[in-house]
Amino acid sequence: MASFVRILDYYVPGDAPTVLVDFQGFCRSIASVRVRFAEFTLDSATRQILHRGGREIRLSPKAFDLLTALIEQRPRVLDKADLHRRIWPDTHVVDANLNVLVAEIRRALEDSRRHARFIRTVHAIGYAFCGEAVDLTERLAPRKTRPVRFWLVWNDRAMVLEDGDNTVGRDPQCTVWLDASGVSRRHARIRIVRGDDAVFLQDLGSKNGTIVQGSPITGEMRLTDGAVMQIGSVQLKLRVWSEGKSPETERIRPARKRV
């Protein structure tokens, strides 16, 4: 699977160069991860794990990222250094933090270290996903058009937007699920028109409205890269990436040694 790591080099003049640092391992793959294993279904696009009966399995954001990475790379063993780079980019953490996340995943999935169903510990190396999993992601033929990606940034989360209509709201069935105060069940709709590289936002009659640049929107509003929208208590930032407009990498001159 192709890597998405180099997207971290992209930035728009005027923006802080760390604007994409919080993507963690979520944007490391071109396609979203959607798999079924045992009685669970994981969808990285909606950041949900659903039980067969419809009950949602709750994980912290970093535990979810860890499980997604292990499933995506199954059955390969991911060493601890690799996992640290994926889950805590540019941050030094001790191995105990990783152990805490693994324990959280095992509790949520009713797994155990002694009788591992899903997460296998490889002593002194790392972890691997050892369960049987079925890939539910629709694999599309490569596009001839330039690869454009659209996503929303919220705290340490990145939420990929699909072509067409993306519903935003508190309902877990929404494309962008926001479990936060002031967000209506179906709050707004974001429409992606890939051919035109266009993004449109529309409020769906929400109780608190959808705010852009300090004012509630009426009708459908076109958004551009970097646009900030307020949905309930949540502030989202739109990001648009395209190979066609990515600036050349700036050459950095080595610092002179002081004598």
Side-chain angles (χ1 to χ4, degrees):
M1 183 174 289
S3 174
F4 219 90
V5 174
R6 299 312 301 169
I7 194 172
L8 294 175
D9 288 340
Y10 164 73
Y11 101 108
V12 177
D15 282 357
T18 56
V19 66
L20 299 184
V21 166
D22 288 336
F23 278 21
Q24 303 174 356
F26 184 73
C27 284
R28 291 182 182 270
S29 302
I30 289 179
S32 299
V33 177
R34 188 166 184 266
V35 297
R36 179 180 297 123
F37 58 97
E39 63 270 31
F40 305 103
T41 299
L42 179 145
D43 190 334
S44 66
T46 60
R47 295 187 69 82
Q48 287 181 287
I49 303 174
L50 297 179
H51 190 272
R52 184 178 296 142
R55 175 173 58 89
E56 183 176 2
I57 307 300
R58 300 279 185 170
L59 285 178
S60 65
K62 293 190 184 299
F64 185 94
D65 291 338
L66 172 59
L67 178 59
T68 300
L70 292 173
I71 289 177
E72 183 182 21
Q73 298 297 322
R74 70 187 188 279
R76 186 166 72 90
V77 177
L78 296 183
D79 61 52
K80 294 180 180 180
D82 187 5
L83 291 171
H84 285 177
R85 287 191 297 269
R86 290 168 178 265
I87 310 302
W88 296 280
D90 303 321
T91 304
H92 175 72
V93 296
V94 296
D95 287 347
N97 294 51
L98 192 58
N99 298 339
V100 169
L101 296 184
V102 171
E104 179 186 347
I105 294 171
R106 283 173 171 159
R107 283 195 304 271
L109 302 182
E110 298 181 355
D111 196 9
S112 69
R113 178 174 181 172
R114 184 181 295 273
H115 304 289
R117 298 172 61 203
F118 307 119
I119 308 299
R120 179 169 66 94
T121 300
V122 183
H123 181 66
I125 298 179
Y127 301 93
F129 186 85
C130 60
E132 293 292 331
V134 178
D135 194 347
L136 304 178
T137 304
E138 181 181 4
R139 301 199 177 275
L140 303 176
R143 298 178 182 269
K144 294 183 179 180
T145 56
R146 58 178 181 168
V148 179
R149 296 290 180 267
F150 307 87
W151 64 92
L152 299 173
V153 178
W154 174 30
N155 294 334
D156 61 348
R157 296 174 56 184
M159 296 165 281
V160 175
L161 298 172
E162 306 292 342
D163 292 354
D165 290 344
N166 298 262
T167 54
V168 182
R170 195 163 38 85
D171 189 333
Q173 299 303 314
C174 287
T175 313
V176 178
W177 177 45
L178 302 177
D179 187 14
S181 61
V183 179
S184 298
R185 291 186 63 83
R186 289 173 56 84
H187 196 109
R189 176 171 54 238
I190 299 175
R191 183 165 61 89
I192 304 295
V193 183
R194 182 176 288 271
D196 297 331
D197 294 354
V199 183
F200 297 93
L201 174 65
Q202 182 178 7
D203 186 77
L204 297 179
S206 64
K207 183 176 181 180
N208 294 307
T210 301
I211 300 172
V212 177
Q213 296 179 341
S215 301
I217 65 171
T218 57
E220 194 173 56
M221 179 179 185
R222 183 163 184 167
L223 302 177
T224 57
D225 180 45
V228 177
M229 64 201 82
Q230 187 78 30
I231 296 181
S233 60
V234 177
Q235 190 175 81
L236 301 171
K237 188 172 187 178
L238 174 68
R239 303 306 309 189
V240 180
W241 178 81
S242 168
E243 285 185 346
K245 73 175 186 179
S246 179
E248 294 183 0
T249 303
E250 181 183 357
R251 183 179 296 278
I252 299 176
R253 296 180 180 179
R256 295 182 179 180
K257 294 184 178 180
R258 295 183 178 180
V259 179

